[in-house]
């Protein structure tokens, strides 16, 4: 069976209210080249994810993206990071010293500042299980996707081969006449080149 070298698959799992999404994308490549795009807390799983991919795929350029998203009501589980807020306050004092008429930060500005609200992260064991399960699910879907694309490619090639075979069959009756015409033309050219005339 022909397997296409290109494919895409995705898997999403819910774990403790968080969504763990794994996307796999493959394109043709001579060797197996793996790339993981993920947050730092998933980086420790890179070797395990690479091994899972290598167990299924022997070649191709594989890009794996892992995204972790909180539910819409994530704010209720978020706790303020005091050190980030203190750093923000120090920067605001510096800005006020340089620009006395600048508007101060509102409560909403502070709460939406990157890093101020630290969300409770998934325990590493749960995260690891969810990511690897997602990778395995995505690999299964990817294999099916590559199979489907491979079947289309095989059908395309078969149709082209059948078309060529028909053209060859259609040309067979014309072959003796074409060979005779070619021989006549060749004799004429040889005669012209050697100066022989009838």
């Amino acid at each position: 069976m022909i397997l296409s070298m290109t494919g895409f698959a995705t898997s999403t799992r819910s774990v403790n209210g968080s969504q763990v999404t794994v996307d796999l994308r493959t394109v043709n490549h001579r060797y197996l080249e793996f790339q993981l795009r993920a947050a730092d807390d998933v980086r420790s799983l890179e070797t395990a994810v690479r091994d899972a991919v290598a167990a299924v795929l022997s070649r191709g350029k594989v890009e794996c993206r892992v995204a972790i998203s909180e539910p819409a009501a994530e704010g209720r589980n978020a706790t303020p990071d005091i050190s980030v807020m203190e750093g923000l306050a120090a920067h605001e004092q510096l800005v006020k010293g340089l620009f006395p008429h600048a508007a101060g930060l509102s409560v909403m500005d502070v709460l939406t500042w990157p890093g101020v609200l630290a969300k409770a992260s998934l325990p590493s064991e749960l995260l690891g299980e969810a990511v690897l399960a997602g990778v395995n699910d995505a690999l299964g879907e990817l294999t099916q996707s590559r199979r489907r694309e491979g079947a289309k490619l095989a059908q395309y090639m078969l149709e082209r081969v059948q078309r060529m075979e028909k053209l060859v069959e259609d040309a067979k009756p014309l072959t003796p006449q074409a060979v005779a015409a070619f021989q006549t033309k060749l004799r004429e050219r040889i005669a012209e080149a050697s100066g022989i005339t009838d």
Side-chain angles (χ1 to χ4, degrees):
M1 166 168 286
I2 295 177
L3 290 178
S4 171
M5 288 304 299
T6 60
F8 176 79
T10 187
S11 170
T12 302
R13 289 176 162 260
S14 292
V15 184
N16 280 12
S18 297
Q19 297 287 323
V20 178
T21 302
V22 176
D23 292 332
L24 286 177
R25 186 182 305 274
T26 62
V27 294
N28 192 19
H29 194 66
R30 187 173 178 184
Y31 305 106
L32 180 61
E33 182 180 316
F34 176 80
Q35 183 176 36
L36 176 66
R37 296 186 185 277
D40 290 340
D41 50 352
V42 179
R43 282 279 163 198
S44 62
L45 300 169
E46 183 165 2
T47 301
V49 173
R50 183 190 304 272
D51 290 347
V53 168
V56 176
L57 305 175
S58 58
R59 59 186 291 260
K61 187 172 183 178
V62 183
E63 181 181 290
C64 177
R65 290 178 182 265
V66 179
I68 302 165
S69 60
E70 298 293 325
E74 61 188 359
R76 67 169 183 247
N77 296 324
T79 55
D81 188 324
I82 301 302
S83 63
V84 175
M85 291 174 71
E86 287 173 348
L88 190 57
H91 280 93
E92 186 177 21
Q93 289 302 317
L94 178 63
V95 170
K96 280 284 190 186
L98 296 172
F99 307 99
H101 300 293
L105 294 172
S106 69
V107 174
M108 186 56 71
D109 291 334
V110 173
L111 291 177
T112 57
W113 195 268
V116 167
L117 289 180
K119 302 178 203 61
S121 59
L122 284 171
S124 59
E125 185 178 334
L126 276 180
L127 176 63
E129 289 173 2
V131 169
L132 290 176
V135 167
N136 285 322
D137 288 349
L139 281 167
E141 185 183 325
L142 181 70
T143 300
Q144 293 302 317
S145 168
R146 293 175 68 214
R147 237 181 229 135
R148 286 191 298 271
E149 289 301 313
K152 289 179 188 174
L153 181 60
Q155 184 60 35
Y156 175 84
M157 292 170 65
L158 180 61
E159 288 171 2
R160 294 304 173 272
V161 168
Q162 288 172 342
R163 174 66 179 151
M164 286 188 282
E165 287 174 345
K166 184 175 186 321
L167 290 173
V168 168
E169 287 301 314
D170 291 347
K172 274 183 183 178
L174 306 174
T175 302
Q177 182 182 351
V179 169
F182 176 76
Q183 289 173 339
T184 301
K185 191 139 189 111
L186 186 59
R187 278 195 295 271
E188 289 172 358
R189 288 191 177 175
I190 291 172
E192 285 175 12
S194 60
I196 301 172
T197 57
D198 291 337

